Amino acid sequence: MQPTIIIELPIHKTLFYECQERPPLLLEIFTAQQIARIKEFVFDNLEDKDGAPEVDGLAVSVLTYSEEERGGYFRLAFYINRRFCCSDVESSRQDYIDFHFSYINEILKASAIYFNWNLM
């Protein structure tokens, strides 16, 4: 069983509908602790921790919602940056997590599994 992260956001209905029009706005609602948890979750699930990987540049790029199902998903994109001190080499790659969520009683409850796409 793969590890899962769960995030709960209280979000007023009008702000939620605005996020559907402008998905990047959703990230502004996350608390600093939630963002730190997401970064830690990604780091913990990386197979290769060489180069002291850091998760940066978080951005919500897609948000879909079905009123009928009272749920949807959003894509959280980010960069995994590495700096190899012994060789002064840096690397960066973009990745993402798809969060599936429900939106009930002005609470967005989202969960996701991170799959490390690093193919060797």
Side-chain angles (χ1 to χ4, degrees), residues 23 59-64 73-77 95-99:
V60 175
S61 59
V62 175
L63 188 147
T64 63
Y73 83 95
F74 63 89
R75 176 164 287 173
L76 181 66
D95 208 343
Y96 65 89
I97 301 175
D98 284 335
F99 281 86

Side-chain angles (χ1 to χ4, degrees), residues 33-102:
Q33 293 85 3
Q34 289 169 325
I35 291 173
R37 274 187 54 225
I38 292 168
K39 289 180 176 185
E40 182 179 311
F41 176 73
V42 171
F43 178 83
D44 288 347
N45 286 286
L46 291 174
E47 289 181 21
D48 177 13
K49 296 197 175 50
D50 286 344
E54 292 183 15
V55 179
D56 286 326
L58 279 73
V60 175
S61 59
V62 175
L63 188 147
T64 63
Y65 176 69
S66 166
E67 190 78 47
E68 183 179 288
E69 295 177 17
R70 299 179 82 177
Y73 83 95
F74 63 89
R75 176 164 287 173
L76 181 66
F78 52 87
Y79 288 91
I80 299 172
N81 300 315
R82 298 170 188 265
R83 176 169 291 162
F84 300 91
C85 62
C86 298
S87 63
D88 288 335
V89 172
E90 295 180 15
S91 73
S92 182
R93 72 176 173 93
Q94 191 171 20
D95 208 343
Y96 65 89
I97 301 175
D98 284 335
F99 281 86
H100 295 271
F101 69 87
S102 63

